[in-house]
Amino acid sequence: MNAIVQKIARAVLFLCACSALSAGTATVQFSVNDKATGKPLNGAHMIVLNGADTVSVSSSKAAEPAALQLDVELTSVDGENAMPASFRTIETHPNPCERTVTLNVPPAAASGKGMLKIMNVLGQEIHSEPVQAPAGAAFAVDLHMQNLAQGMYIVQMTDAEGKTVSGKFLKIGSSAAATSPSVWASGLRPMVWNGARSLSKPAATSYTFTAFSDKNTADADGAHAGGFASVTVPVSKDTSIVLELEKTPFSECGHTMAPRTAAEITVDGKADEAVWSRAAWGPMNQLWLYKMPSADDFTGRYKIAWSPEVLYVLVEIRDDSLSDQHSDPLSSYYMDDCFEVFIDENASGGIHTYSYNAFAYHISIFGKAVDAGPDRQTKDFSDHIVMKRTQDKDLYTWEIALKVYTDAYNDKSKTNAPAVLDGGKVMGLAAAYCDNDGKFDRESFMGSIYIAGKDKNTAWMDASVFGTLELLP
């Protein structure tokens, strides 16, 4: 994930003061809001990572938070004479339990006379009784249950100053439904950790929660909103997370927010303008066709910036063999090494194979840009771009200025004018690279967005699979 985005992104985190529902798992609820308005969002993309491994991919709903159960490792805590300071909830064991459960209450939770309460998951109070807690010390108390129905229960301890901690336990075993339940506490004692016993507790496992918007993300009123937010947190118990999306440069899975440049960019392949340090890299790591290249064969990534006149595209390609086998730029152009940028000016989606509903510019290593037109003939659109490319061993840096045209573009007109770009504009975008290692045809076709289904080579026909490009003010 881009380091600049990590620094700028904001997320609000709320941790519930309760243990996991069962050993080895934690339930995480997370929702996505627009930071500017505070409104929950529909259709924001949510990705959960454990290190480099993807745990979950989902979309947000404005009406309800998403729920996800995560695995957390268990460790055994053996203390001596004191409860570990990291315990800030009531630990319950055994859990699940049948007739008796022991509550281990941390020292900061209760001092002097306090109140112990038991509630069901609906918040209804089942039992309460005063407890005289040892001042400043952790303590244990045994909770006995007779004729208590099976289910999940919340135990809460509140001291004289109003400080509260809580925990959960799962009651199992048979119950006499017709008999009134009876609950009482006994055996209150200082909690002593002497190494003879251990308490199994979840160890913190770090997960990264990321959310970002696309062209379809909207609040409950239907207004387009969103941005990007990411947070990495250790999870060892039930957790609730609210991700607040901000308008900040980012690029995730083909969904890009591009900064505006304050000065004209000199297209020279050097990428030394200030705006490039603010833009975020987007990967081209999705196999669309043929074979997945090894890292020493090909890797690619891109950045986007903009001015009212043009889009600027910065591309970095590592390629062990640069090749152009076809001398005619209008013939078999997709078989050679080339960078492709797909632009849907109004993000309308839909078929564009032989129309200007969207453009699919194939940019050769020599700076020629071609695509098919409505007459099914290949067109030279080199006047739509300016491209310069530099080389450092196997690293090729492409810098491109691209004029953006609408679907009203007409081959027969000599007065086609590019669109004037403005902050807040949302377009369809995809980036790709054809990798040819010196043969007649390309060996790999790598794209910037994940395409579902077996046939992933569909961007050249259907703009609906494009990602999103949003221009930041």
Side-chain angles (χ1 to χ4, degrees):
M1 192 172 297
N2 186 279
I4 298 173
V5 173
Q6 286 275 21
K7 293 178 182 178
I8 300 176
R10 297 289 185 267
V12 178
L13 173 66
F14 301 96
L15 299 181
C16 300
C18 54
S19 302
L21 294 179
S22 60
T25 63
T27 299
V28 179
Q29 286 191 328
F30 50 102
S31 53
V32 182
N33 293 346
D34 178 56
K35 185 174 178 63
T37 64
K39 294 180 179 180
L41 298 180
N42 278 312
H45 300 269
M46 298 191 291
I47 298 176
V48 182
L49 299 176
N50 180 2
D53 297 327
T54 301
V55 176
S56 173
V57 177
S58 60
S59 296
S60 68
K61 296 181 179 179
E64 58 187 44
L68 175 68
Q69 193 169 63
L70 301 177
D71 293 328
V72 292
E73 297 178 0
L74 289 179
T75 61
S76 183
V77 179
D78 293 314
E80 292 184 348
N81 302 324
M83 180 175 286
S86 61
F87 286 10
R88 290 294 177 261
T89 60
I90 297 176
E91 300 289 343
T92 58
H93 68 91
N95 192 2
C97 58
E98 291 190 57
R99 294 182 177 87
T100 303
V101 61
T102 297
L103 313 178
N104 293 304
V105 183
S111 181
K113 189 174 182 179
M115 183 63 69
L116 179 66
K117 292 183 179 181
I118 310 299
M119 295 168 287
N120 62 21
V121 291
L122 299 177
Q124 298 167 331
E125 186 176 299
I126 304 300
H127 172 76
S128 66
E129 67 176 278
V131 173
Q132 186 68 34
F139 68 92
V141 63
D142 298 324
L143 192 66
H144 306 274
M145 296 160 285
Q146 185 176 9
N147 300 323
L148 187 65
Q150 299 181 71
M152 186 68 64
Y153 291 89
I154 300 167
V155 56
Q156 187 178 83
M157 181 71 197
T158 304
D159 69 7
E161 297 177 358
K163 292 182 295 185
T164 299
V165 291
S166 59
K168 287 182 180 179
F169 64 87
L170 178 63
K171 169 69 168 61
I172 59 175
S174 60
S175 300
T179 307
S180 298
S182 178
V183 180
W184 70 97
S186 71
L188 188 147
R189 58 203 180 272
M191 187 80 249
V192 177
W193 296 84
N194 55 21
R197 59 184 292 193
S198 63
L199 176 67
S200 185
K201 71 176 284 289
T205 302
S206 289
Y207 291 88
T208 299
F209 299 85
T210 299
F212 51 92
S213 60
D214 70 6
K215 62 185 178 183
N216 298 314
T217 306
D219 60 26
D221 297 327
H224 180 268
F228 174 89
S230 181
V231 63
T232 300
V233 295
V235 176
S236 63
K237 56 186 177 182
D238 291 354
T239 303
S240 295
I241 295 174
V242 178
L243 291 163
E244 294 189 316
L245 303 195
E246 289 189 276
K247 302 289 187 181
T248 184
F250 82 92
S251 189
E252 287 282 343
C253 300
H255 302 281
T256 299
M257 280 192 168
R260 177 175 179 170
T261 179
E264 182 179 353
I265 291 178
T266 300
V267 179
D268 54 11
K270 297 180 180 179
D272 50 8
E273 288 82 7
V275 70
W276 290 129
S277 65
R278 294 191 290 116
W281 286 112
M284 289 181 283
N285 58 3
Q286 299 294 316
L287 180 63
W288 285 357
L289 200 61
Y290 305 128
K291 68 175 183 179
M292 175 67 75
S294 62
D296 57 358
D297 180 16
F298 165 83
T299 59
R301 59 182 186 170
Y302 69 95
K303 285 183 176 183
I304 307 285
W306 69 280
S307 72
E309 294 76 28
V310 295
L311 283 182
Y312 293 101
V313 186
L314 181 67
V315 187
E316 278 191 358
I317 302 296
R318 286 196 179 274
D319 192 350
D320 63 345
S321 176
L322 204 64
S323 176
D324 190 309
Q325 299 292 312
H326 305 86
S327 57
D328 183 357
L330 301 182
S331 174
S332 303
Y333 51 89
Y334 55 87
M335 295 183 179
D336 293 317
D337 271 301
C338 67
F339 171 69
E340 292 189 43
V341 57
F342 302 79
I343 297 291
D344 180 4
E345 182 270 338
N346 59 0
S348 61
I351 301 301
H352 70 93
T353 315
Y354 300 113
S355 75
Y356 298 128
N357 181 46
F359 287 80
Y361 294 107
H362 299 68
I363 303 175
S364 76
I365 60 177
F366 303 114
K368 292 289 186 180
V370 299
D371 189 19
D375 58 1
R376 297 178 176 247
Q377 301 300 308
T378 305
K379 307 293 182 181
D380 186 346
F381 293 118
S382 299
D383 60 336
H384 291 199
I385 72 161
V386 176
M387 187 277 278
K388 295 294 181 182
R389 182 171 52 84
T390 59
Q391 179 181 0
D392 180 10
K393 297 180 181 178
D394 66 343
L395 178 64
Y396 300 89
T397 302
W398 306 49
E399 199 167 26
I400 303 165
L402 172 68
K403 299 174 185 176
V404 177
Y405 287 90
T406 72
D407 54 11
Y409 189 87
N410 188 334
D411 287 329
K412 299 179 181 179
S413 174
K414 295 183 179 180
T415 59
N416 290 303
V420 178
L421 307 180
D422 198 5
K425 183 175 181 61
V426 176
M427 293 182 279
L429 170 74
Y433 194 82
C434 300
D435 183 34
N436 184 315
D437 290 334
K439 300 179 181 180
F440 179 77
D441 199 356
R442 55 190 169 174
E443 283 83 18
S444 305
F445 186 30
M446 301 296 294
S448 63
I449 52 177
Y450 170 77
I451 297 176
K454 293 183 178 180
D455 184 6
K456 301 184 183 300
N457 184 27
T458 59
W460 71 280
M461 298 181 292
D462 187 1
S464 300
V465 302
F466 291 6
T468 302
L469 172 63
E470 184 170 350
L471 308 183
L472 294 173

